[in-house]
Amino acid sequence: MTKFEPVIGLEVHLQLNTKSKMFCACPSGAKSDLPPNTAICPLCSGQPGALPVINEQAVMFALKAGLALNAQINLKSVFARKNYFYPDLPKGYQISQDSKPIISGGFIETQNADGATKKINIARAHLEEDAGKSMHGQDYSLIDLNRCGVPLLEIVSAPDMRSAAEAYNYLVNLKSIMQWLDISGCDMEKGELRVDVNLSLMPEGSDKFGTRIEIKNLNSFKAVKDALQYEISRQSGILSSGGAITQQTMLWNEDKAVTELMRNKETAQEYRYFPEPDLRPLVLNGDFIELVKKTMPMLPAQKKDFYIKTYGISAYDAALMTSDKDISSYFDEAVKQGATAKPAVNWIGTDILGKLNAENKEISSCPLKPKDLADLIGYIESGKISGKMAKEIFAQAWSGAKAVSELVESSGASQVNDEAQLEIWAKEAIAENPKAAADIKAGNSKAIGALVGSVMKKSKGKANPALLNKIFIKLIS
Ligand code: ADP
Ligand code: MG
Ligand code: ZN
């Protein structure tokens, strides 16, 4: 039986988080949670005679993406009309880019499960405008044009992926890069990142691609993986039994976990692309590109190196602190507020992420602020509170009602560092437990635990354990 190899290419639509829309001054993006049809103007509601103006910020965001994707920035790109009729598209066409996109080429390096890196090439990325939204009721439909004209960057990969897992890795990496660039919210549930999947099968060992199908309506990366796996086995079945695949657009039915036919695929001719007559070609000069280069933030790989070099933390810790942009921002802020790097990594990596995980929260909504973490670490380092007390303060501060400093100062939760007081307690403990003292003298240093424990009880957990250890050794030897 012939074995088939999948060939996968992905088209990712990214909603750019610019202040205004792609070609008019209306507010844009998820930030404008405005009532339906209030963020519109004559241009984006498709009225005759209104003229588009290219949004400079959207162009800058496209360039940032291009630079981060190791791509070529095209100094001249051309906007084109993509014609189709749909009620949420009042102009009857979408302004997009066709044969002359702003970005060409480029690649993303991904890590496969076996640790091998794989380069996935990017074919192109172009700027375009979004359409509106339709909502369907029983016997009526509603149209909201607020999303009409919101800028999108469509990033089209080469057909370089060979498994559902590779497609998944590519998406995770792409999303992470875009988040670090801060050019999109990247929230799939809000439609800020939308994925179309293209898939074909070819006999293993062949280099001649088969007929592809396209799957739309995927609302999570998991759905992308599931839909691909389903469709790979469906097509293998058809091809194995001598059947053929026809080029189609399918939908992923999440509930039934099956693909369904949406329509027979349009070809580019059916969109009757032609250059947008109301816009001149977009011509960029070198100065503008240099300006954008200056605003490029550190990307995860660079940031990781920076952490290792600057804070002397391990590669493992640095990877953990850069696994997510918001984790990295939290860590940066805690350090800025005075936290020592290594303990900050430990608290974030275990206590904070652990608790957030348990509560199904993101670090961006962490009730404990970076300043509080910095304070907590400061109190431990100055000896004001013990590690054990810090854990209690942490638990109390988690509600977010009181700052760490407030909790420490008001609770009188001050560690006892007064050596005279510690010595009084230590002497009492030895008198109450002469056997432990004798054991220590005989060389069993473990017995010191019992004595320290007894002083902890006397001091209600406030004795400084490190000082106490020293005092016991001094008293007993
Ligand atoms: P269209 O204009 O019809 O959308 P594109 O050339 O823009 O076609 O390609 C769309 C996507 O489909 C790209 O991500 C590309 O990598 C992918 N693709 C093209 N041919 C194939 C194929 N035979 N199998 C799988 N994916 C493909
Ligand atoms: Mg396409
Ligand atoms: Zn408008």
Side-chain angles (χ1 to χ4, degrees), residues 198-218:
N198 295 271
L199 165 76
S200 65
L201 260 53
M202 62 184 178
E204 220 162 52
S206 163
D207 54 8
K208 206 173 159 293
F209 292 170
T211 304
R212 75 177 141 128
I213 58 102
E214 189 175 359
I215 314 170
K216 290 188 180 282
N217 255 23
L218 297 150

Side-chain angles (χ1 to χ4, degrees), residues 21 23-27 39-45 148:
K21 291 186 180 179
F23 301 111
C24 63
C26 292
I40 57 172
C41 71
L43 184 101
C44 58
S45 58
C148 256

Side-chain angles (χ1 to χ4, degrees), residues 187-325:
D187 188 335
M188 285 191 89
E189 275 174 25
K190 290 188 192 150
E192 294 166 344
L193 192 159
R194 288 168 247 160
V195 184
D196 294 342
V197 171
N198 295 271
L199 165 76
S200 65
L201 260 53
M202 62 184 178
E204 220 162 52
S206 163
D207 54 8
K208 206 173 159 293
F209 292 170
T211 304
R212 75 177 141 128
I213 58 102
E214 189 175 359
I215 314 170
K216 290 188 180 282
N217 255 23
L218 297 150
N219 53 20
S220 69
F221 290 170
K222 185 182 169 292
V224 170
K225 210 173 174 178
D226 292 346
L228 274 168
Q229 273 160 354
Y230 174 86
E231 194 56 25
I232 289 168
S233 74
R234 187 186 73 89
Q235 292 189 20
S236 296
I238 294 175
L239 293 171
S240 298
S241 57
I245 305 295
T246 43
Q247 191 168 341
Q248 284 172 336
T249 301
M250 330 253 324
L251 288 177
W252 175 240
N253 183 326
E254 182 115 53
D255 297 332
K256 294 190 198 149
V258 295
T259 52
E260 289 165 351
L261 177 66
M262 179 183 173
R263 58 172 183 244
N264 288 315
K265 166 95 184 150
E266 300 92 348
T267 61
Q269 284 86 2
E270 286 166 19
Y271 287 125
R272 303 178 339 270
Y273 277 102
F274 63 86
E276 167 60 60
D278 290 337
L279 287 170
R280 281 188 288 186
L282 174 62
V283 177
L284 304 171
N285 64 30
D287 290 350
F288 185 75
I289 296 172
E290 284 311 309
L291 191 86
V292 175
K293 275 187 186 159
K294 287 208 185 86
T295 69
M296 287 291 281
M298 268 193 245
L299 293 172
Q302 292 165 291
K303 191 101 192 199
K304 189 177 149 198
D305 288 343
F306 170 80
Y307 283 166
I308 295 171
K309 279 203 201 94
T310 317
Y311 302 130
I313 59 176
S314 69
Y316 178 87
D317 285 347
L320 181 65
M321 289 304 103
T322 52
S323 58
D324 178 288
K325 180 176 180 255

Side-chain angles (χ1 to χ4, degrees), residues 11 82 124 126 154 156 198 212 214 265 273:
E11 295 165 278
K82 180 179 182 179
R124 55 183 277 152
H126 60 259
E154 178 174 347
V156 182
N198 295 271
R212 75 177 141 128
E214 189 175 359
K265 166 95 184 150
Y273 277 102

